[in-house]
Amino acid sequence: MRNFLKGKKMWEYVSGISVIPKNTNEGYADLIDAWEVNNAKIITRINNFIEHFIGTQLVKYETVKEV
């Protein structure tokens, strides 16, 4: 999974380097949308590769870093 995410330039979401953008400029809506889309893609990828009973435990988390 790490190698896959590094190849997609998304490992920063797992490591915590990429965090939810703060509302500091007029492009905030685009930044938050992009962040949320990538976060959801990674969580979906993780859920596709784990057992169902483990996935049900991960539903309560909102960010891939928490997962």
Side-chain angles (χ1 to χ4, degrees):
M1 184 61 63
R2 183 183 70 205
N3 288 335
F4 173 80
L5 293 174
K6 282 186 174 187
K8 297 289 186 180
K9 297 183 179 182
M10 293 182 173
W11 183 250
E12 298 84 23
Y13 289 78
V14 177
S15 67
I17 294 171
S18 181
V19 295
I20 299 172
K22 304 289 184 217
N23 189 0
T24 57
N25 59 36
E26 57 190 54
Y28 172 72
D30 292 334
L31 290 174
I32 195 73
D33 285 344
W35 192 93
E36 288 178 344
V37 165
N38 287 330
N39 186 67
K41 284 180 184 178
I42 298 167
I43 291 174
T44 299
R45 177 64 69 168
I46 291 170
N47 282 326
N48 286 338
F49 283 98
I50 59 174
E51 295 291 331
H52 176 72
F53 71 92
I54 295 172
T56 59
Q57 299 298 313
L58 303 179
V59 174
K60 60 186 171 189
Y61 301 110
E62 293 185 22
T63 68
V64 70
K65 180 159 174 48
E66 294 173 323
V67 169

